[in-house]
Amino acid sequence: MLEGKALLDKARALSNRPEDQIARACGYVGPSGRLLKKSFYRALVEAKGYKLPSHASSGGGGGGGARGRQAEFRTRVHGNGNLLIGHAYTKRMGLEPGQEFKIEIHQETGSIWLLPLDEGNEGSSGEISPADQAG
């Protein structure tokens, strides 16, 4: 990833191209091939002489000190109606691919519970939920 004067020179030379092409040509592409636009724009701003707060210019090459996306404990319902929890949360909960759960919706609290299913027992998780205890 280009930085400083080299970044500015390359960006000027390609100024007639779309932003995505400029960022790619300057090396702002992640290991998966995803374009790193935020890093590219931050590097441009810093190359212009502005100091940015937080993890700005923490030495060395691209992204070594950056922590990447952080879990926010927020989500939203997608346009197709799906609600995504995400890897950060399933990892934190110790969930494994293939595990199955019963979903319970609790209208009075507005909460959703995931109850693990036993492998051979579809209807019961082996645990007693607070709703079962009350009735």
Side-chain angles (χ1 to χ4, degrees):
M1 289 185 234
L2 298 177
E3 294 180 343
K5 185 174 178 352
L7 174 61
L8 290 175
D9 291 344
K10 183 81 166 189
R12 274 191 203 103
L14 298 172
S15 63
N16 60 338
R17 303 270 176 110
E19 294 172 14
D20 290 2
Q21 286 182 7
I22 297 170
R24 284 190 192 283
C26 292
Y28 286 85
V29 181
S32 66
R34 194 175 114 243
L35 193 59
L36 305 174
K37 283 186 178 182
K38 184 176 179 181
S39 297
F40 173 65
Y41 293 132
R42 288 183 70 87
L44 277 175
V45 169
E46 287 180 356
K48 284 287 202 176
Y50 296 98
K51 297 293 179 207
L52 298 174
S54 75
H55 55 78
S57 64
S58 59
R67 291 172 35 180
R69 292 183 179 181
Q70 298 298 307
E72 296 183 30
F73 291 99
R74 292 178 58 151
T75 190
R76 67 176 54 145
V77 177
H78 294 253
N80 62 6
N82 288 344
L83 179 65
L84 179 67
I85 294 174
H87 174 76
Y89 309 106
T90 56
K91 181 178 178 184
R92 186 170 182 168
M93 293 172 62
L95 305 180
E96 298 293 329
Q99 277 186 288
E100 293 185 335
F101 297 87
K102 177 182 176 188
I103 299 172
E104 282 192 7
I105 300 169
H106 295 267
Q107 297 290 341
E108 62 278 359
T109 62
S111 62
I112 298 171
W113 291 1
L114 297 178
L115 303 172
L117 292 175
D118 291 338
E119 287 184 24
N121 194 355
E122 279 291 308
S124 161
S125 66
E127 297 180 17
I128 300 173
S129 72
D132 292 335
Q133 291 175 352

